[in-house]
Amino acid sequence: MDLTELRELAKKERAAFKSIRVHCCTSTGCQASNSLDIKKNLDTAVKDAGLEDQVQVVGVGCMGFCGRGPLVQIDPEETLYEEVTPEQAASIIDGIKGSGEATATKGDSQHPFFSRQMRIVRENSGKIDPERIEEYIAVGGYESLYKVLHDMTPEQVVQEITRSGLRGRGGGGYPTGLKWATVAKMPGDQKYVICNADEGDPGAFMDRSVLESDPHLVLEGMAIAAYAVGANHGFIYVRAEYPLAIQRLQKAIQQGKKYGVLGSQIFDSPFDFKIDIRIGAGAFVCGEETALIGSVEGKRGNPRPRPPYPAQSGLWECPTLINNVETLANITAIIGKGADWYASIGTEKSKGTKIFALTGKIRNNGLIEVPMGITLREIVEEMGGGVPDGSVKAVQTGGPSGGCIPAEMLDTPVDYDSLTKLGSMMGSGGMVVMDHTTNMVDVAKFYMEFCRDESCGKCIPCRAGTVQMDEMLNNILKGKATLADIEKLEALCQMVAQTSLCGLGMTAPNPVISTLRYFRDEYLRLIQQTSNGKVPV
């Protein structure tokens, strides 16, 4: 396939679009609320109304407003319906025909939850059928891959990604271009690209949504990355708990082979690239690069000491590039629109946008994609609508590796460095809002218990340290602790953070450290209450 044929296919697909498209969310969250039955009833209603020539019902990915799902949107008018039931589907079609009014609740597509977003990674989510490569091609898909294969050298691709300022979206924020450059300069005939889709943070579902909603975007990003670093084989490591994402990835890979955008001599070039899926068993530690590599190789997913880093000696001791889903999903737009365009978004050291799973005690929960530098207050109060009752107490970012940020710091910009200064981190994108009723010691205990259970046990600081920290927090909550125990807890947190082998142990103390920093009075209150008003020593 050449560029002319690719664009002709896109033109043909766009011409087949009906004047009215009824987008019905079929992502995991909406499917749990019978969205497949809603789509079935919409199809039947269109046929019964004789509107097949005008109306097209499309099963799409996540639209973002998960707390109000299932969602149905009528385009091009952008009429949004929330919490739709199968019984209401026919009335939506009646409304289009003009023979009645929709009984479903009408939403506001211009709500700040939507209007404040800047969609780069999620640009196609909720707009195209994720199970049809033709729809992805119709919106410009695979043109960036064609561009790099015919108009750019691998070195130029690496330079473009470097100039864009893109940083890894998996948590650490390592410069993507620098990682690519390191793999590219490594000698060897065999190199690999791995997409890390082992999303394990409690409350996080960003990567799952991208894979379910726009799988070809990730495949195209992987292919561009492989060309840039000199790899010919890729793996997507995805959690077994994501069956719909796996199903759509499998179908996307098959379609990619059929159309020649994956496989041998892609776009009549010398470049070959194949992608396989590896399904993880759900161990949180396998999100760590070296543990993930071990799991792909068929071994137990235990981290190993670094160096050597995966870029030097990774999968089967070959140079390996590992990026997470969201990082790779940014690549196509950077190549298509240019590094300067991407670098103009965000802050000086945090470029582009970031997807967050906005959850917790908040009115509007779901997925949002916002430019770096937006403040926590704008996200929580304007987009999220604030808490239903009372006031915001804290926002937890970064999952088990992150920290709790108090309400008085909501004007903090959301970028890598600002969150780190507050004792939290960007992480993969979890953002949990807590109200005035939240017990912050309980929050620290929840995340510590998670890290304790998910520790692989290879290194003593993490294996034993998380158990000890969990027991100390439990004693505080049960009224069995003293002030001396808080000092011991802080010392233990520092030791575990400084001596653990991998990122799980290094960051496990963060929720404890941040709650002690900002909500120390709650720890002290629990101790005082158990001493009849006297603080034990």
Side-chain angles (χ1 to χ4, degrees):
M1 182 186 294
D2 59 23
L3 185 60
T4 301
E5 292 173 319
L6 183 70
R7 289 179 173 171
E8 187 60 34
L9 177 61
K11 182 180 178 181
K12 181 180 178 182
E13 182 66 20
R14 287 194 297 270
F17 285 7
K18 305 293 174 60
S19 58
I20 298 175
R21 282 169 63 94
V22 180
H23 294 152
C24 178
C25 174
T26 59
S27 64
T28 292
C30 286
Q31 281 197 23
S33 298
N34 300 319
S35 68
L36 293 182
D37 288 339
I38 294 170
K39 182 182 181 301
K40 180 181 177 181
N41 290 354
L42 288 169
D43 281 322
T44 300
V46 168
K47 184 177 180 180
D48 291 345
L51 297 175
E52 296 98 324
D53 294 337
Q54 305 170 43
V55 179
Q56 179 180 16
V57 179
V58 184
V60 297
C62 180
M63 297 182 192
F65 216 166
C66 305
R68 303 287 180 86
L71 300 173
V72 173
Q73 182 163 308
I74 316 299
D75 285 340
E77 293 84 3
E78 296 187 350
T79 302
L80 179 68
Y81 294 101
E82 303 172 349
E83 299 177 338
V84 180
T85 65
E87 294 73 24
Q88 294 170 331
S91 71
I92 292 175
I93 304 304
D94 288 340
I96 293 174
K97 187 178 181 180
S99 59
E101 292 187 5
T103 57
T105 303
K106 186 174 287 189
D108 180 8
S109 60
Q110 300 306 312
H111 187 281
F113 184 90
F114 296 108
S115 63
R116 293 300 306 275
Q117 294 196 44
M118 183 176 187
R119 292 162 59 118
I120 296 177
V121 171
R122 300 194 68 251
E123 181 180 8
N124 300 326
S125 297
K127 296 181 179 179
I128 65 172
D129 184 344
E131 299 191 15
R132 297 191 71 249
I133 189 175
E134 295 86 357
E135 291 217 357
Y136 179 69
I137 291 174
V139 294
Y142 289 108
E143 288 213 11
S144 290
L145 177 58
Y146 187 95
K147 178 180 178 179
V148 301
L149 294 181
H150 289 274
D151 299 334
M152 301 175 73
T153 65
E155 294 77 13
Q156 288 174 326
V157 177
V158 173
Q159 290 169 6
E160 193 75 358
I161 300 304
T162 302
R163 286 199 310 112
S164 74
L166 175 66
R167 295 172 64 172
R169 298 300 195 248
Y174 191 80
T176 303
L178 181 57
K179 182 181 281 192
W180 286 26
T182 304
V183 179
K185 70 182 181 182
M186 287 294 120
D189 295 330
Q190 183 63 61
K191 298 179 183 180
Y192 295 98
V193 170
I194 296 179
C195 172
N196 184 350
D198 190 58
E199 182 178 50
D201 289 7
F205 51 99
M206 301 76 58
D207 291 350
R208 186 197 75 199
S209 173
V210 173
L211 293 175
E212 291 179 357
S213 304
D214 203 0
H216 287 283
L217 183 68
V218 180
L219 300 185
E220 185 175 8
M222 288 183 69
I224 293 171
Y227 172 74
V229 304
N232 60 16
H233 195 174
F235 291 91
I236 301 178
Y237 187 87
V238 60
R239 302 176 70 79
E241 295 94 332
Y242 289 178
L244 183 59
I246 294 170
Q247 172 193 321
R248 289 180 175 174
L249 277 171
Q250 290 171 334
K251 181 172 287 189
I253 291 171
Q254 293 171 355
Q255 293 171 342
K257 293 176 181 177
K258 174 183 175 182
Y259 279 91
V261 296
L262 292 176
S264 301
Q265 298 181 332
I266 298 172
F267 285 128
D268 298 322
S269 75
F271 176 61
D272 302 336
F273 186 57
K274 64 175 290 188
I275 296 178
D276 291 315
I277 298 174
R278 289 291 183 270
I279 300 173
F284 180 67
V285 74
C286 284
E288 194 276 336
E289 291 185 342
T290 60
L292 185 155
I293 287 171
S295 184
V296 172
E297 292 175 341
K299 304 171 186 175
R300 177 171 176 165
N302 281 348
R304 61 168 172 76
R306 299 182 294 178
Y309 293 91
Q312 302 163 311
S313 177
L315 191 62
W316 293 298
E317 300 181 356
C318 297
T320 303
L321 174 68
I322 304 180
N323 287 134
N324 88 318
V325 170
E326 188 179 346
T327 307
L328 291 165
N330 273 287
I331 302 303
T332 296
I334 292 172
I335 296 299
K337 299 182 180 180
D340 292 338
W341 164 79
Y342 193 84
S344 69
I345 303 165
T347 67
E348 182 182 354
K349 295 182 179 180
S350 299
K351 304 296 186 182
T353 61
K354 181 72 187 78
I355 301 176
F356 290 99
L358 186 60
T359 61
K361 298 291 185 68
I362 193 160
R363 286 189 174 88
N364 308 321
N365 60 70
L367 286 180
I368 57 171
E369 184 174 2
V370 292
M372 294 280 199
I374 190 173
T375 66
L376 284 168
R377 189 177 304 281
E378 290 174 284
I379 292 176
V380 173
E381 295 185 356
E382 294 182 29
M383 302 179 72
V387 300
D389 299 300
S391 57
V392 176
K393 184 174 186 178
V395 178
Q396 205 274 349
T397 68
S401 303
C404 298
I405 301 169
E408 55 266 28
M409 294 183 176
L410 286 182
D411 291 316
T412 299
V414 176
D415 60 60
Y416 290 99
D417 299 327
S418 297
L419 294 181
T420 301
K421 288 178 183 177
L422 296 182
S424 188
M425 64 186 300
M426 186 80 70
S428 59
M431 186 175 288
V432 183
V433 179
M434 303 166 190
D435 68 7
H436 66 287
T437 66
T438 306
N439 182 328
M440 301 308 295
V441 184
D442 254 337
V443 171
K445 172 76 167 60
F446 168 81
Y447 284 111
M448 186 54 62
E449 187 175 345
F450 177 87
C451 291
R452 180 203 68 190
D453 292 343
E454 293 295 338
S455 173
C456 74
K458 183 174 182 178
C459 74
I460 293 175
C462 179
R463 181 179 72 230
T466 53
V467 172
Q468 290 298 316
M469 288 187 288
D470 182 59
E471 288 181 358
M472 287 182 174
L473 290 167
N474 195 46
N475 285 338
I476 292 171
L477 287 167
K478 288 186 175 182
K480 299 179 180 180
T482 68
L483 284 178
D485 290 320
I486 291 184
E487 294 179 5
K488 292 177 183 178
L489 179 60
E490 288 180 306
L492 185 57
C493 285
Q494 294 301 323
M495 185 276 291
V496 172
Q498 293 170 8
T499 59
S500 292
L501 175 61
C502 82
L504 189 155
M506 292 176 184
T507 59
N510 283 352
V512 181
I513 294 171
S514 65
T515 50
L516 277 168
R517 178 179 177 182
Y518 298 117
F519 303 97
R520 195 180 193 89
D521 61 312
E522 296 196 24
Y523 286 82
L524 297 176
R525 193 178 305 125
L526 285 167
I527 291 173
Q528 291 169 344
Q529 287 173 352
T530 60
S531 305
N532 297 319
K534 298 179 181 180
V535 179
V537 294

